Amino acid sequence: MRQFKKVYIEITSICNLACTFCPPTERAKGFIKLDTFNHVLDQVKPHTDFIYLHVKGEPLLHPKIDELLDAAHAKGLKVNITTNGTLITKNKHKLLGKPALRQMNFSLHSFDGHIGSENREKYLREILSFVREAEEHKVIFSFRLWNLTQDNMTNLEKQRNRETLEVLEKEFDLDFKIEEKVVPGSGVKIANRVYLNQDHEFQWPSLDAPEDDGKGFCYALRSQAAVLVDGTVVPCCLDGEGVINLGNVHEKTFTEIIDGERANNLYYGFSNREAVEELCRRCGYRQRFGT
C-alpha cells in the first residue's frame, strides 16, 4: 500500500485575503462538513500519519476548526496548519491544547502580499502572542517569508522584510541578524521548536504557463497527495484548480484512486524522469528536483 509523508486535506477553498502571489481559485467555494471530513480521514489514514489542512483557502476561516482537530486526534492523525495568521487571535481558543496539532506555519509574506494590509506590528504581535501561549503544548512553529525574487529585491521589499525580521529578532532575543544565517529554501532555528524559513516567491503552476520538455522528477504521489474540499484527489498540493483529477473519494476509495491508471501513469512517468501530465510540464517547481 502506497505511503505518504503527508496528505493535504483542503477544509475550505475560501480565503479572507487576496494576495498577489496566490491566484484565487475558480472552483466552487465552500467548507468541508464534519462528517465529510471524517470520511476523508478514514480514507487517507491507511496511507499517512500526517495531514495538512489546506491546498487553497485559509483554514482558520473554518468555523469548526476545533472539531476537525478533535476528529483527526480520534483517528490518530497529526495535523499541520498553514495560515496567513490574520485570524489567530479570533481562533486561538479553538487551537490551544488540541493534541492533534503538531505544527503551524505562518505565511508572513501574506502581510505584504495583500494590498491594503495595515499595522505590521499588531499583526506580528498577535501571532507571537499565540506562539508564546502554545509553548507548553510543544507545537512546532515555522515563520515563512517566501517573497524573495530571482533578481535583486527592491529597497522597499528589503525594508519590509527587515521590519518583520527585526520584530522576530527582538522577540526571541537573537544575537544575530536572521538574513546572515538563513539560506533560501531552508530555515534557521530561532527558538525551541520555532523556525524561520525564507524562499523565493511561489508560482502556482498553470495551464497558461510555458510548457517545457517534461524532463525531470517530482515527489507527487510519492511523498504526498491532496484531497480538495469537494473530494477530488490530486497528486500534490500545487494543483490548486484540480486539473489532474485522479478521482473523487465520494465515488471511489482513496486507495483505489491513487492506484488508478492516471495516478500510476504519473507516478511511473516520474520514475523515468518524465512528466506525463500537461500541468506538470508547466510547473516550475518540478525543476527544483533536477533532471
Side-chain angles (χ1 to χ4, degrees):
M1 184 174 289
R2 196 167 288 172
Q3 296 296 307
F4 302 116
K5 290 182 178 178
K6 53 197 172 186
V7 173
Y8 293 83
I9 301 176
E10 184 185 69
I11 61 174
T12 181
S13 53
I14 303 169
C15 190
N16 62 320
L17 299 185
C19 296
T20 55
F21 55 81
C22 185
T25 179
E26 296 180 5
R27 293 182 284 115
K29 298 191 168 37
F31 295 96
I32 199 168
K33 294 181 179 178
L34 183 58
D35 59 345
T36 302
F37 185 69
N38 272 302
H39 172 71
V40 176
L41 293 182
D42 287 335
Q43 295 289 305
V44 306
K45 181 173 169 52
H47 300 274
T48 191
D49 295 321
F50 301 97
I51 59 172
Y52 287 57
L53 301 186
H54 76 283
V55 175
K56 285 293 188 77
E58 167 52 51
L60 296 191
L61 272 176
H62 199 291
K64 296 185 177 180
I65 185 70
D66 50 345
E67 295 182 37
L68 301 185
L69 287 169
D70 289 340
H73 179 62
K75 306 286 186 185
L77 293 163
K78 289 295 185 181
V79 176
N80 287 25
I81 294 176
T82 297
T83 172
N84 59 45
T86 58
L87 304 173
I88 192 62
T89 298
K90 180 180 178 181
N91 286 278
K92 66 180 181 179
H93 66 287
K94 296 182 179 181
L95 304 172
L96 288 171
K98 293 297 184 183
L101 185 58
R102 172 185 175 269
Q103 179 170 334
M104 289 197 68
N105 307 313
F106 288 98
S107 299
L108 302 186
H109 47 279
S110 300
F111 183 86
D112 292 315
H114 176 72
I115 297 172
S117 291
E118 296 179 351
N119 201 335
R120 183 190 310 272
E121 183 78 15
K122 179 176 181 292
Y123 165 72
L124 294 172
R125 283 296 159 203
E126 290 184 348
I127 291 173
L128 291 169
S129 175
F130 174 80
V131 171
R132 290 302 190 189
E133 289 185 69
E135 278 180 340
E136 63 180 290
H137 303 294
K138 296 182 169 34
V139 178
I140 300 168
F141 291 100
S142 175
F143 299 125
R144 295 177 172 180
L145 270 180
W146 289 4
N147 59 1
L148 302 178
T149 57
Q150 298 294 341
D151 302 320
N152 291 328
M153 297 180 71
T154 66
N155 288 334
L156 178 59
E157 290 169 330
K158 289 179 181 178
Q159 178 186 338
R160 288 170 172 172
N161 274 3
R162 177 91 293 274
E163 290 172 0
T164 294
L165 295 176
E166 192 172 88
V167 172
L168 298 179
E169 290 161 1
K170 288 181 178 178
E171 175 69 22
F172 296 102
D173 195 25
L174 302 184
D175 60 0
F176 61 88
K177 286 191 174 183
I178 291 174
E179 302 102 309
E180 297 171 354
K181 299 241 178 153
V182 70
V183 176
S186 64
V188 59
K189 186 175 182 178
I190 59 176
N192 189 28
R193 294 186 296 274
V194 181
Y195 302 84
L196 185 286
N197 183 287
Q198 281 200 284
D199 209 339
H200 291 94
E201 184 173 310
F202 178 73
Q203 297 290 328
W204 286 90
S206 167
L207 292 178
D208 295 327
E211 185 172 355
D212 61 28
D213 62 7
K215 301 299 181 184
F217 179 76
C218 181
Y219 288 98
L221 293 181
R222 276 180 162 75
S223 68
Q224 65 169 281
V227 183
L228 302 181
V229 71
D230 67 350
T232 299
V233 177
V234 292
C236 72
C237 64
L238 306 188
D239 188 359
E241 290 305 303
V243 173
I244 308 176
N245 184 341
L246 301 176
N248 194 291
V249 293
H250 303 307
E251 299 168 0
K252 291 184 178 180
T253 67
F254 183 78
T255 302
E256 290 175 310
I257 291 169
I258 61 173
D259 196 33
E261 181 179 3
R262 190 172 187 181
N264 280 324
N265 286 342
L266 184 149
Y267 181 94
Y268 291 112
F270 280 127
S271 295
N272 296 318
R273 300 299 191 268
E274 184 172 348
V276 300
E277 290 282 349
E278 181 183 358
L279 184 68
C280 299
R281 294 193 296 271
R282 298 176 186 271
C283 177
Y285 200 85
R286 189 189 83 249
Q287 298 166 1
R288 297 185 179 202
F289 306 118
T291 58

